[in-house]
Amino acid sequence: MDFEFRTIHQDEAEEAAVIESICFPPHEACSYEHMLPRIAAAPDLFWVAVDKGTGQIAGFINGLATNENAFRDEFFTDAGLHDPDGSTILILGLDVLPQYRMRGLARELVRSYAEKETGKRKRLVLTCLENLVGMYKKFGFSDAGESTSVWGGERWHEMVLLLPESPDAERERGLLQQKLDSASGDHHGG
């Protein structure tokens, strides 16, 4: 299958909300009422994969930019928190329709999204359930431990992908490693 990767169009908000409802359980899914302002606030951070054969959106990745360091649940429902100059993108969803899964589309969405944001942002941060930690590690993310997010009543892992050309990447890697060491109980003393 061949895909076109591009930013979402405003008139595709309903289609995106339907895809979200297929990919996530109701207590985790973004509703149309929250999807529409998210697309309006940050269309450049809402990246879709369109099946060139059908014209259908096969999947997408979306987020909001911020300079905050903590992943707050309010980001899922308040697009007004988006800071266009933010150095971090909080990924609010990675959705792939069932018929397109197990073909590398999720990996390609993450890869192309990170590539387009390299040089503009420092890192991508997302939350995932424990059973998806391994998948995101394969995509290049590091597990920063349990998130403060309790979205949907779940316990989430916070995953971080440092973008390669960010000016502070080396310092950020050191801070992330400290957080990872602390989360795993691995304390280095002198």
Side-chain angles (χ1 to χ4, degrees):
M1 291 187 184
D2 201 15
F3 298 99
E4 172 192 6
F5 294 90
R6 61 165 173 78
T7 56
I8 195 165
H9 300 147
Q10 294 291 327
D11 63 354
E12 294 172 323
E14 188 172 344
E15 184 178 359
V18 169
I19 292 169
E20 179 88 355
S21 72
I22 292 168
C23 294
F24 287 94
H27 65 283
E28 294 174 16
C30 179
S31 67
Y32 175 75
E33 292 74 28
H34 290 121
M35 188 75 69
L36 196 58
R38 189 183 294 178
I39 292 169
D44 57 317
L45 298 181
F46 206 116
W47 194 239
V48 298
V50 178
D51 181 329
K52 288 184 178 181
T54 66
Q56 176 185 21
I57 295 176
F60 60 81
I61 184 171
N62 73 99
L64 297 175
T66 183
N67 283 315
E68 293 187 31
N69 292 321
F71 201 118
R72 295 188 290 135
D73 288 341
E74 291 80 8
F75 279 97
F76 288 107
T77 57
D78 186 356
L81 294 172
H82 172 62
D83 176 356
D85 299 320
S87 62
T88 297
I89 298 175
L90 299 179
I91 302 296
L92 303 174
L94 174 60
D95 299 50
V96 174
L97 284 170
Q99 63 267 35
Y100 294 99
R101 292 182 186 159
M102 305 305 293
R103 300 176 186 190
L105 183 55
R107 178 189 308 266
E108 186 57 24
L109 277 162
V110 169
R111 189 206 60 75
S112 61
Y113 193 81
E115 182 178 279
K116 84 177 190 65
E117 292 303 320
T118 294
K120 295 186 255 179
R121 315 287 181 179
K122 292 180 182 178
R123 65 189 160 272
L124 306 179
V125 178
L126 60 81
T127 57
C128 70
L129 296 174
E130 187 170 355
N131 65 318
L132 294 174
V133 168
M135 179 186 83
Y136 284 108
K137 283 183 172 183
K138 288 179 185 175
F139 294 177
F141 285 83
S142 298
D143 184 359
E146 193 169 315
S147 175
T148 58
S149 172
V150 292
W151 180 253
E154 301 283 358
R155 293 179 67 179
W156 302 95
H157 281 256
E158 194 157 299
M159 306 296 291
V160 179
L161 176 65
L162 298 177
L163 298 177
E165 295 176 21
S166 64
D168 299 324
E170 197 56 42
R171 185 179 69 78
E172 293 285 332
R173 275 189 197 85
L175 293 173
L176 177 60
Q177 189 58 52
Q178 287 175 356
K179 186 174 180 180
L180 293 171
D181 290 347
S182 173
S184 70
D186 223 4
H187 300 287
H188 302 286

